[in-house]
Amino acid sequence: MGADRLLVLCLALAAAAAAAGQRPSAVSVGGLFTYESTIGRAARLAIELAVDDVNADTTVLAGTNLNLITQDTNCSGFLGTIEALELMEKNVVAVIGPQSSGIGHVISHVVNELHVPLLSFAATDPTLSASEYPYFLRSTISDYFQMHAVASIVDYYQWKEVTAIFVDDDYGRGGVSVLGDVLAAKRARISYKAAIPPNANTDVITDVLFTANMMESRVFVVHVNPDTGMNIFSIANKLRMMASGYVWIVTDWLAAVLDSSSSRDLNDMSYIQGIIVLRQHIPDSDAKTKFISKWNSVARNRSIDSALNSYGFYAYDSVWIVARAIDQLLDSGHQMNFSADPRLHDSNGSTLHLSTLKIFDGGEQLLQQLLLTNITGLTGQVRFDSDRNLVQPAYDVLNVGGSGSRLIGYWSNYSGLSVASPEILYQKPQNTSTSAQRLYSVMWPGETITKPRGWVFPNNGKPLRVGVPNKPSFKELVSGGTGPDNVSGYSIDIFNAAIKLLPYPVPCQFIAIGDGLNNPSYDDIINKISTNSLDAAVGDFAIVRNRTKIAEFTQPYIEAGLVIVAPARRATSSAWAFLKPFTVEMWCVTGALFIFVGVVVWILEHRANEEFRGSPRQQVLTIFWFSFSTMFFAHRQNTVSALGRFVLIIWMFVVLIINSSYTASLTSILTVQQLATGITGLDNLVASALPIGYQAGKFVRNYLIDELNIPESRLVPLSTVQEYADALNRGPKNGGVAAIVDEMPCVEIFLTSHCNFRIVGQEFTKEGWGFAFQRDSPLAADLSTAILQLSESGQLQKIHDEWFTDPSCISEDSGLGAVQLSLGSFWGLFLMCALICTSALIVFFARVCWQYSRYSKYGADVEPGEPAAVATAIVAEIQPARPRPARLGSFKELIQFVDKKEEEVRREMKRRSSEKDNGAGGSSQGRSLPSA
């Protein structure tokens, strides 16, 4: 009663001060938590110490005392709500708490009406949002970020499915809902949700864990309350769920339990060996060290048998946040006034006294001051972002082992998983890439350092439902019989061999899809997987883009690109077959080049080689004989000039290429098969208007229409090998097809029994066949590894040879559709030869012109012994000579000069040079006689 009278006195003094316009001598704040709980024991003492420190600090609330009024929620939603209402009756300006997210949802509606800010240090439910509860403010880290940390760990170890074990209340459901969304963004999922009712007994928890253990996922995420959570691991240990192969990721509630246990029960620790635990990251500081020492000292004096946990730090900072906000509000001149809510009144006979609940007039202003908080507390920087969450959320990642736990890394919203503390990473550029994520090694349950696979085949008695296409043909690939075990084929053998390599048993139930008379739609089979009608599909399923969006495929076990098959026939011989190797254009150009080279060699050899001289008729015959005899290397004329020999060498090389090509082409034309429809490749097929066959039910139809833009009217579905042969034999004129487009393995099977058809062109796609599973199924990855093992051991090829080798039809190795050689194949060679010949002619005529210029400068021919010539020379020496411009002779003289033999020209030039020298000597003597 004395305490109540003191409280009333304080409130009266505060009201009097407010009325006088002065700072009140005391301001009351509330505390709402469970006294006897893991979090409440640490938080209660931390809040009391914080209030003492605030009142002892003269820089905060100077002249105003901070009074703390606490209420015990007793771990009950109903009692917690009643206690919260009682707290509101005492005119508190803010409430530190509640501890429970469930109570937070209820009491937030009350504070919204009364304008009393609610600052919770432990209600982490992400659904407590500012948009719905504007007066709710969280001074700890939201589970929104904690679930991002859990998802980052799952993604780091490349697990795709987890089982969520959670308490079925607002706190548990809100966290797991966020976890599901974050995992989905990382292409993982919650495969099973194991909800535990609040205050569940051992039998209920046992049933929940037993059901969860029947599922395939072995990665368990536990998100429950700290006061009852340890019971889960005790039961899991009895169910042998803490053995090797299991993964346990636990949210921060367990860290609070471990940190609060002053003397840990070694028996309890044995249940949780190898699990991964998250804990709010509290940076080291002197203030933190001093507070821990102070808290421990006071706890010993009060005989408190629990230790401090991270929630105690957030509770301590919450008091300071409120104190500084109140101080700012008072400094701005606001008063702590309350007014009655006219909507609240006591009904006749009611004992609830609702009229005692008052509206805090300064609640909106105090809330704004709280949102502007920017201080450094025990938990680090305390500041709220636009979503009213603390900035820089971070967690320690712990691995439980022995009698304690080991720090293996950190998670922060800034950089993800790392082994460096967040404080260091904040000073560096942000990097959340996959390569930057890192944790130290983990000791997993079962005392193993090998990363668990994270899943097993579900032990629920349900075999794997495997869909198999039941087709009327191509049964060498897959044959789905009438019974579940009556399946066979190449694909089935590959699948069974890969299943045997898995380190765990996988019971399978094969389900035939189709009536066996018509090909089923392969896309429909894949869709059955996405709708959970099937677990897998085995057969000749091509891995194409649209299918990978709805199913998970294994590593391809065979290449299956698309090829074109067309009918072939023997070419009929004719009397003019020898002309077919070259086109008409090629024949004309080749003949012209023969004559051109003959003329060039004749020009180069005519002046120096007697074999290229004679009468005009004889020389023309020589040109033609020499030209065409080089085709058989039978020319008898020898070349003596350097240019002639050089041109002849190049020409002989050209003739060798022409002869070889002609021989090969003629041989091919007379021996190989020809395409009956004229289709030679993909471009030819697409450009034509001829009908095209394809295997019904396969992806080929969509590929031809969507990718190659072939009209659907040109496509003809075919189902059996016999339909293939009939359609090709009839041809487009008789209701058949010009060619068939299908995958290479199917074409190989078709050609083993039909040798009159051939593959045209090259493979124009690079697909492969794989086994399809549901999205993110771990079986796909394990079977991919098994397929690689089959390939490396040679068993994959061995199975292929057993199904694809058929000696009944030996494939001919000769080519298909030999074509005429055109000028396009030789124009480069011909151009080179023509340029060389032209260059040789240029050099030759340049040399001739040079010789002719020297030959002409000596004047007309002077025969020795002619009197007129001698007299003319003497007169020319005695009398002054008239200068005459030097000029070349006429064109006729040039032609005569070119026609002369090289030897005669040299001899004539030598003679003229000698005569000129002799004439110069006689002239000198004639000029000296008169002087004598």
Side-chain angles (χ1 to χ4, degrees), residues 895-910:
I895 295 301
Q896 292 175 351
F897 176 79
V898 172
D899 188 55
K900 288 185 178 182
K901 294 181 63 176
E902 181 82 16
E903 185 179 352
E904 293 179 359
V905 171
R906 290 178 180 175
R907 187 167 56 247
E908 184 67 21
M909 290 178 62
K910 184 177 180 181

Side-chain angles (χ1 to χ4, degrees), residues 276-293:
I276 294 178
V277 185
L278 292 176
R279 179 178 63 192
Q280 296 100 326
H281 174 69
I282 310 295
D284 294 330
S285 64
D286 293 338
K288 175 184 175 182
T289 303
K290 292 179 181 179
F291 175 74
I292 293 174
S293 177

Side-chain angles (χ1 to χ4, degrees), residues 543 553-558 769-771 780 783-785 787-788:
I543 305 174
F553 281 85
T554 63
Q555 166 88 11
Y557 60 88
I558 188 174
W769 289 349
F771 306 130
L783 272 183
S784 294
T785 303
I787 290 172
L788 291 176

Side-chain angles (χ1 to χ4, degrees), residues 56 182 274 379 421 475 493 676 761 783 787 827 846 908 913:
V182 181
T379 58
S421 67
K475 295 185 179 295
D493 284 359
L783 272 183
I787 290 172
W827 73 267
E908 184 67 21
S913 178

Side-chain angles (χ1 to χ4, degrees), residues 110 113-114 339-347 353-359:
V110 177
E113 294 296 327
L114 301 181
S339 58
D341 189 344
R343 295 172 296 177
L344 296 175
H345 56 85
D346 296 329
S347 302
H353 303 294
L354 295 178
S355 60
T356 60
L357 299 176
K358 306 292 185 181
I359 297 176

Side-chain angles (χ1 to χ4, degrees), residues 747-755 804-806 808-810:
V747 171
E748 289 180 356
I749 293 174
F750 172 67
L751 293 181
T752 55
S753 56
H754 296 81
C755 299
F804 284 87
T805 300
D806 187 356
S808 63
C809 179
I810 302 176

